[in-house]
Amino acid sequence: MTGQVLERETFGHLFAELNKMGFTLIGPTVRDKTIVYDELHSVDELPIGWTDEQDGGSYRLRRRDDEALFGYVVGSQSWKKYLFPPRSVLFEIGKVGDALTFSEPERSSQPRAFIGVRACELAAIKIQDQVFLGSGHVDRTYQHNREEIFTVAVNCAVAGGTCFCVSMETGPECNAGYDLVVTEVIDEGIHEFVIEAGSDAGQKVLAALPGRPAVDEDQAHVAAIVADTAAHMGRTLNTSSVREVLYAGRESTHWDDVAEVCLACTNCTLVCPTCFCSTTEDVASLDGSTATRSRRWDSCFSLEFSALHGSPVRSSTKARYRQWMTHKLAGWQDQFGSSGCVGCGRCITWCPVGIDITKTTAAIRADSEVLG
Amino acid sequence: MTTEATPISVRSAEEMLPQPFRVTEIRRETPDTMTLALEPTSGPGIEYAPGQFTMVYVFGVGEVPISIAGGQEGKLMHTVRAVGAVTRAICALGPGDIVGIRGPYGTSWPITEADGRDLVIAAGGIGLAPLRSTVQYALNHRDRFGYVSLIYGTRSPGELLYEDELREWRSRFEIEVEVTVDRAADGWYGDVGLVTNLLPRIFYDPEKTTAMVCGPEIMMKVVARELGSRRVGFDDVYVSLERNMKCAIGFCGHCQYGPDFVCKDGPVVPYSQVRNRMRVAEV
Amino acid sequence: MKLDTWRAGRDLLADLSANEIEFLESVASEVTFSKGAVIFEEDDVADTFYILQEGTVGLELTTPGKPPVVIQTLGSGDLLGVSWALPPYSWTWRARSLTDTTLIAFDAVKVRERCEVDFRLAHQILRLIAREAIRRLTGARVRLLDLYHHEAR
């Protein structure tokens, strides 16, 4: 498929075209000194001229010396909040006399365009598709939210301090799972966007945009940008036999080292774009005629998570951290045929004490090599 | 648009929706355990395999996984111990009350695969509930098996489940039924000791035995080891796992046990599959 | 009392040689006890041990103001009696027939004497006793956990 190149001045046409097609636009914007995802009405709401500096337990927005629209990496939020919302209704119950009726919540059509989806996030969405749609049962809420999404992916031109998508083979280049993919090119007076389609729907949008056809030189720019990002990953994670290494390392003393600093605050699971655990809540109306059963995000770091007959199976922080990391990198492979980690680095950045999944994995690996 | 994954085997789209069931009978088994007979208020009800479980919903209180103790033609029998808010609410129900039930979920005891083999059914405490329908199956298809034994241990004589049925099963002389308690009480003339104490006196050929074990995790581990020392292979010893569970269909994440979801990869698994995990604390 | 006439417990002697079994047969005889009968009493001299054929035997301790406490029962195929093998050769528990019982009784004095000169037999017998003792110890330890009490699980 031939790409199109839009100038900075005409980039707004993409938004206008998607609006015209009936999509609500959702994308990155600056709020509370971070980049969040929210409804967008114009290109001006993008994080223009901002970038983010990230390290273990540290996130700061900084001014760039240009006016890049996508010159940042990822914020704490992911697209998970739209597809697998923090709260959703499972079923509603009506009570008349002794009789009970059970019904699904009403779900209305909601065409949405996701703007600025990174390669690691495409991978995360693919993983949650597998969890909620591809493992024998279908989650109705997720299925509904996943319909009518137009995905505008963006290739990363910068790597964050906690990024390791290269290790997880999920990025930085977007390869599949998008309708359009955008690469922002800023170079000596040039500020343009190379846009390619990944679906028929994307092709249709692309054809309506007032760009010039992409030429070899544009493709070369894209390749150079992606290669440069790949070369500047903030972290690496050795994935070789990581499943076996972690299963064998269940009793490693490094879990104790992590547990000494881990606050079991649940931040890592909430910012993780693939973590899918939830708990349930029941609310009955005051007159006792209706009740609602909902689910909300839960975390394997909370003590009640594993409670059996009132006492938790995993009462120590060590066991809970081990569960989370072993599941993410090892158990996930058994359950869903892929790693549960996409290398976005959020769990490292947003950990208040900077616990680093790449370092813990390396430590457990070192142990297993010593032990043979 | 770009949804790549496609469902492997979609069951009913309403599988998250409970069906209303009416309590037709409720009977006290022990001071904190009740047995409920349930029938669907309409519709076909639930067909299950022995060892599976359902999610039982009490209006406004919540939902819990409960193993299926019996029932035919869509009806269900559940034995519930009052240990939490929802189970206490279930035990407080009366005839005519309506609950929501969805399921059945999970793996089942390998009762049809055990054709032609000897059966050792070992239960501890309330662990007899999910094994009750295997005993009934064995009685109803007695000629399909070699020796069949039920060994059952509980805390005290007052905490035995299904006492009338235990008597009836024993009186039929078609299967061996041995019962033991941890502590004797006045008037108890039966056995005293752990359930493994009963193994020497039942008949089974270790080479062609399928064992089905349900009880507290330590009890299952001890029984499995003891069977192992008596040359029954760990692949032929099945245990039933229990973990916190919210959804029963692999979404909520609560029941994870190593790489397994207890709700769909279990609850019934060969001991050989979980042996290495059962010795690690807090998995 | 020939091994091939035993109704239960033959597997206890699975590791013994033909000679060793022949010796044990030569010191074995069948005995019966009616329901309620005491087979041996606490602190009495331990000069016999048994393999249960039929019925149930309770191991009891007497306690003031209460009926005897049955701490463990034994059934067909079980070894009854361990204290005969080690000094001071006196019983720790009372063994009482809880039903009519049939047992094979072994002359423990002759077995002890033979073991003083036949170390292989001694080894086999001590192995048998150790295995049974460990099983009962495991059972007792697990019962200490009070597993079926839900707060303890």
Side-chain angles (χ1 to χ4, degrees):
Chain A
M1 270 185 264
T2 322
Q4 285 261 19
V5 181
L6 287 193
E7 298 290 325
R8 169 64 184 86
E9 291 69 34
T10 52
F11 186 71
H13 283 87
L14 172 62
F15 279 37
E17 193 58 36
L18 291 169
N19 261 322
K20 208 166 73 189
M21 293 170 74
F23 291 108
T24 299
L25 304 191
I26 297 171
T29 191
V30 173
R31 189 192 303 147
D32 301 331
K33 299 181 184 173
T34 64
I35 289 168
V36 299
Y37 295 140
D38 204 349
E39 193 169 328
L40 299 180
H41 302 92
S42 90
V43 171
D44 297 339
E45 292 170 296
L46 290 170
I48 298 171
W50 289 103
T51 192
D52 43 15
E53 287 176 359
Q54 306 194 30
D55 204 342
S58 163
Y59 177 95
R60 293 286 181 280
L61 286 189
R62 293 269 183 264
R63 270 283 164 204
R64 290 171 61 98
D65 54 10
D66 60 27
E67 295 294 300
L69 308 189
F70 300 102
Y72 60 94
V73 185
V74 287
S76 66
Q77 299 182 345
S78 68
W79 303 94
K80 177 168 94 169
K81 70 170 184 168
Y82 293 104
L83 302 175
F84 166 50
R87 275 173 196 278
S88 57
V89 173
L90 291 170
F91 51 83
E92 280 153 350
I93 310 96
K95 189 171 199 277
V96 178
D98 283 333
L100 298 184
T101 53
F102 297 89
S103 53
E104 282 197 84
E106 281 192 27
R107 299 184 172 106
S108 51
S109 171
Q110 47 176 3
R112 294 178 291 189
F114 289 174
I115 312 288
V117 183
R118 303 297 187 170
C120 59
E121 300 185 304
L122 291 173
I125 291 169
K126 190 177 168 191
I127 286 172
Q128 286 213 325
D129 283 353
Q130 184 65 31
V131 172
F132 288 119
L133 305 174
S135 299
H137 297 273
V138 167
D139 185 77
R140 304 271 282 168
T141 303
Y142 186 89
Q143 184 184 39
H144 174 75
N145 290 335
R146 191 71 179 83
E147 284 165 359
E148 303 182 283
I149 302 284
F150 188 97
T151 305
V152 180
V154 173
N155 282 323
C156 285
V158 286
T162 57
C163 286
F164 55 102
C165 63
V166 169
S167 299
M168 303 317 293
E169 297 178 30
T170 57
E173 187 174 20
C174 301
N175 290 317
Y178 54 79
D179 294 294
L180 291 176
V181 58
V182 176
T183 310
E184 184 171 29
V185 181
I186 301 177
D187 193 18
E188 292 172 28
I190 303 169
H191 189 176
E192 48 189 30
F193 299 86
V194 181
I195 309 180
E196 286 164 288
S199 71
D200 291 347
Q203 192 63 47
K204 220 174 281 174
V205 173
L206 199 57
L209 296 179
R212 62 170 174 83
V215 294
D216 287 352
E217 200 188 340
D218 298 310
Q219 303 297 354
H221 270 137
V222 171
I225 287 168
V226 169
D228 184 62
T229 306
H232 289 90
M233 290 283 120
R235 297 285 196 278
T236 57
L237 192 152
N238 179 359
T239 58
S240 159
S241 304
V242 70
R243 177 177 165 274
E244 291 71 22
V245 165
L246 290 179
Y247 282 156
R250 275 201 176 105
E251 310 271 30
S252 166
T253 53
H254 286 288
W255 302 115
D256 297 297
D257 300 343
V258 175
E260 244 174 62
V261 292
C262 175
L263 305 171
C265 71
T266 77
N267 263 16
C268 51
T269 55
L270 299 178
V271 297
C272 177
T274 67
C275 270
F276 59 83
C277 289
S278 61
T279 189
T280 49
E281 285 176 348
D282 295 90
V283 178
S285 62
L286 282 176
D287 65 358
S289 65
T290 59
T292 304
R293 186 164 172 81
S294 323
R295 76 173 172 203
R296 61 173 172 78
W297 286 357
D298 199 0
S299 169
C300 52
F301 282 88
S302 75
L303 203 50
E304 314 84 72
F305 185 85
S306 63
L308 193 59
H309 310 301
S311 33
V313 170
R314 291 184 281 272
S315 54
S316 68
T317 303
K318 163 191 160 177
R320 283 175 268 153
Y321 183 82
R322 181 181 65 186
Q323 163 63 23
W324 175 72
M325 209 183 96
T326 308
H327 178 226
K328 190 68 57 184
L329 294 173
W332 211 293
Q333 296 187 38
D334 294 295
Q335 294 169 354
F336 303 110
S338 76
S339 175
C341 176
V342 297
C344 70
R346 286 181 177 92
C347 58
I348 306 171
T349 299
W350 296 94
C351 175
V353 295
I355 293 171
D356 187 331
I357 190 171
T358 64
K359 287 183 187 160
T360 312
T361 308
I364 305 278
R365 183 183 292 281
D367 248 12
S368 77
E369 276 160 10
V370 171
L371 297 171
Chain B
M1 297 188 175
T2 51
T3 309
E4 284 181 17
T6 45
I8 297 163
S9 66
V10 184
R11 300 204 320 192
S12 145
E14 277 79 33
E15 62 195 333
M16 275 301 280
L17 272 193
Q19 307 178 40
F21 271 67
R22 180 182 293 107
V23 178
T24 55
E25 197 194 327
I26 180 155
R27 181 178 79 229
R28 184 171 295 280
E29 297 283 353
T30 78
D32 63 0
T33 305
M34 307 290 273
T35 291
L36 295 86
L38 298 148
E39 64 178 27
T41 59
S42 62
I46 286 173
E47 298 298 332
Y48 65 92
Q52 289 191 293
F53 67 96
T54 71
M55 294 297 284
V56 180
Y57 170 83
V58 181
F59 182 78
V61 183
E63 208 180 25
V64 281
I66 304 285
S67 64
I68 300 172
Q72 282 162 12
E73 293 162 359
K75 297 177 187 172
L76 292 172
M77 179 178 141
H78 278 311
T79 297
V80 183
R81 180 152 67 180
V83 287
V86 185
T87 48
R88 273 196 293 273
I90 294 172
C91 288
L93 294 170
D97 284 341
I98 310 283
V99 295
I101 295 196
R102 55 189 178 90
Y105 298 117
T107 55
S108 54
W109 299 110
I111 190 83
T112 47
E113 293 86 336
D115 232 42
R117 298 169 66 85
D118 295 345
L119 298 184
V120 174
I121 302 170
I126 199 169
L128 182 57
L131 286 167
R132 179 182 170 274
S133 48
T134 64
V135 175
Q136 288 187 320
Y137 183 93
L139 283 166
N140 294 337
H141 303 86
R142 186 63 192 86
D143 54 342
R144 291 196 194 166
F145 305 102
Y147 294 114
V148 178
S149 311
L150 167 66
I151 55 175
Y152 175 35
T154 189
R155 190 177 186 226
S156 67
E159 287 164 77
L160 289 168
L161 301 185
Y162 317 134
E163 279 190 273
D164 294 344
E165 280 180 311
L166 286 170
R167 259 191 297 278
E168 190 227 311
W169 294 340
R170 186 182 278 138
S171 69
R172 285 171 65 167
F173 295 107
E174 291 174 304
I175 64 172
E176 176 106 1
V177 178
E178 299 280 350
V179 176
T180 186
V181 296
D182 281 353
R183 288 139 214 241
D186 285 358
W188 174 254
Y189 300 105
D191 276 296
V192 182
L194 195 66
V195 70
T196 45
N197 197 34
L198 302 171
L199 279 174
R201 67 182 82 164
I202 60 171
F203 289 96
Y204 56 94
D205 175 356
E207 303 290 313
K208 57 183 200 73
T209 289
T210 297
M212 297 179 273
V213 188
C214 187
E217 212 162 286
I218 293 175
M219 171 268 180
M220 295 193 289
K221 187 156 59 176
V222 170
V223 171
R225 278 185 196 147
E226 188 59 37
L227 285 165
S229 83
R230 294 167 188 276
R231 293 178 291 113
V232 179
F234 289 146
D235 290 336
D236 295 322
V237 178
Y238 288 78
V239 295
S240 182
L241 304 170
E242 188 179 21
R243 282 295 183 272
N244 186 313
M245 208 178 274
K246 300 291 181 194
C247 77
I249 49 180
F251 296 149
C252 78
H254 283 252
C255 70
Q256 288 185 70
Y257 183 52
D260 294 323
F261 287 98
V262 170
C263 68
K264 57 180 192 180
D265 301 314
V268 177
V269 294
Y271 179 65
S272 53
Q273 186 178 322
V274 290
R275 185 175 173 227
N276 287 339
R277 263 174 267 166
M278 275 195 178
R279 64 183 176 215
V280 182
E282 299 189 81
V283 171
Chain C
M1 184 73 203
K2 288 285 180 197
L3 179 79
D4 56 17
T5 65
W6 295 12
R7 273 161 286 179
R10 269 180 275 185
D11 56 320
L12 290 177
L13 308 185
D15 294 337
L16 270 65
S17 70
N19 278 344
E20 288 157 352
I21 285 176
E22 201 178 320
F23 164 71
L24 285 176
E25 285 171 344
S26 75
V27 298
S29 59
E30 190 172 275
V31 292
T32 58
F33 292 88
S34 52
K35 183 176 170 179
V38 171
I39 300 170
F40 53 74
E41 189 65 72
E42 281 176 55
D43 292 332
D44 274 1
V45 175
D47 53 8
T48 316
F49 67 93
Y50 306 87
I51 291 175
L52 251 146
Q53 299 299 292
E54 251 178 52
T56 310
V57 171
L59 297 179
E60 302 177 341
L61 279 181
T62 51
T63 174
K66 284 184 184 172
V69 180
V70 178
I71 198 73
Q72 159 112 53
T73 52
L74 300 172
S76 62
D78 280 328
L79 173 72
L80 167 63
V82 168
S83 303
W84 65 272
L86 297 164
Y89 310 122
S90 66
W91 299 117
T92 311
W93 303 88
R94 172 200 290 159
R96 200 158 60 89
S97 264
L98 300 182
T99 63
D100 291 347
T101 49
T102 305
L103 306 95
I104 293 165
F106 297 85
D107 184 333
V109 177
K110 287 191 180 140
V111 175
R112 282 201 301 258
E113 282 168 7
R114 177 68 165 248
C115 284
E116 290 302 320
V117 293
D118 184 345
F119 289 171
R120 205 201 107 92
L121 177 69
H123 174 70
Q124 293 296 341
I125 299 248
L126 285 175
R127 247 168 57 144
L128 160 66
I129 288 174
R131 191 169 59 222
E132 291 306 306
I134 288 167
R135 279 180 175 154
R136 287 177 207 177
L137 179 61
T138 300
R141 283 171 171 170
V142 173
R143 279 194 281 155
L144 265 182
L145 297 174
D146 201 7
L147 283 183
Y148 307 127
H149 189 51
H150 68 77
E151 280 159 21
R153 290 186 67 174

